[in-house]
Amino acid sequence: MVTIAEITNYLEHIAPLSYQESYDNCGLITGNKSMEAKGALVALDCTEQVIDEAIETGCNLVIAHHPIVFKGLKKFTGSNYVERTILKAIKNDIAIYAIHTNLDNVHNGVNQKICNKLGLSNNQILSPKTDLLKKLVTFIPLHNFEAVSKALFEAGAGHIGNYSETGFSLKGEGSFRGNEHSNPTIGAQGKLEKVEEIRFETIFPAHIQHKVLHALHSSHPYEEVAYDIYPLANALNTVGSGMIGELETAMEETQFLSLIKEKLSASCIRHTHLQGRKVKKVAVCGGSGSFLLKNVIISGADFFITSDFKYHEFFDAERKIVIADIGHYESEQFTKDLLLDLLMEKFPTFAARLCKTNTNPINYF
Ligand SMILES: [Zn+2]
């Protein structure tokens, strides 16, 4: 038996909820985490038709990229598609889970999938996020240094880029005097004690703070563990918006437009003027990506593949780059495959399936 919690914990290990944008509403929207997951239907959008498909296929969990509820709902009368979808899900005991901008922002998420489809390599996050890292400084008696640092690393501290177990240590002297209620590991109540200690510092992603502190308290010998936590302004290069990669061999712009049509199943591409130069560096952003245009131009990309550009925003290309707007649904359609692959990797015998309902609200005549 697999519970909804086991599935959502796994997905949140890959795309932590704290990586979502402030306007978003990722996570479990209906249902209870302790419910047994009988089957999962993976969709881009959660609509009434998708809930119907879940009922027909015996799935009590819908995993959708876009959250069906984006803003506060005050009435549940079925007066619009959002209320009707929620009502139908609740009446039929169906859990709805959204994995949206948190999956956009991770290195192996929505944009990596697009890059892979296009055969791009050296893929990097285009606009890395800041304020996601913290620093821990703690003071460890000499003999316990190995055990405490090991526990902290095992809890996920100390990762920088391709390096793990990164830390810095400096020997010094710690002092303390316990009162009549204390139970000091070293020394005695009421007596000033001086101990040779190591000041140890390491870095960790903010969302695992509880794990890191738990590891510190369970491995450190002292009754009161002294430690400081500092927020860091450093960027975390593996988390952020958009992605930039390179084609193995540069190609003509029209040839590249044909490649986009073929590899990303885009029936219509709205694009700015071609530059008359070969395409090598390509930036991508699944979904609405116009907010990233400035970063894309600075990055030196030749092409920017995304969606939802407005008429006036196309002018901002200023002939420095070719914007290729392939449609929102088209840019994110492979997110379903990405999610299904992730689920199959971890839960190979679990009944997860791709949604067959085409939820794209836009048609091309
Ligand atoms: Zn989207």
Side-chain angles (χ1 to χ4, degrees), residues 65-66 100 287-288 328 332:
H65 183 49
H66 296 131
H100 188 213
S288 314
H328 195 122
E332 293 180 332

Side-chain angles (χ1 to χ4, degrees), residues 47-64:
T47 60
E48 282 179 274
Q49 291 74 28
V50 171
I51 300 293
D52 285 334
E53 189 180 329
I55 297 166
E56 279 160 28
T57 53
C59 295
N60 66 342
L61 171 63
V62 172
I63 300 173

Side-chain angles (χ1 to χ4, degrees), residues 44-45 65-66 100 104 286-288 307-308 328-329 331-332:
L44 196 65
D45 306 280
H65 183 49
H66 296 131
H100 188 213
D104 288 331
S288 314
S307 72
D308 294 349
H328 195 122
Y329 182 90
S331 74
E332 293 180 332

Side-chain angles (χ1 to χ4, degrees), residues 289-308:
S290 62
F291 73 100
L292 269 178
L293 184 64
K294 271 195 183 129
N295 301 59
V296 173
I297 291 174
I298 291 167
S299 75
D302 303 303
F303 249 74
F304 182 27
I305 303 169
T306 184
S307 72
D308 294 349

Side-chain angles (χ1 to χ4, degrees), residues 259-270:
L259 184 87
I260 299 173
K261 280 195 99 153
E262 184 204 328
K263 299 290 181 192
L264 301 182
S265 309
S267 59
C268 170
I269 304 176
R270 301 191 305 148

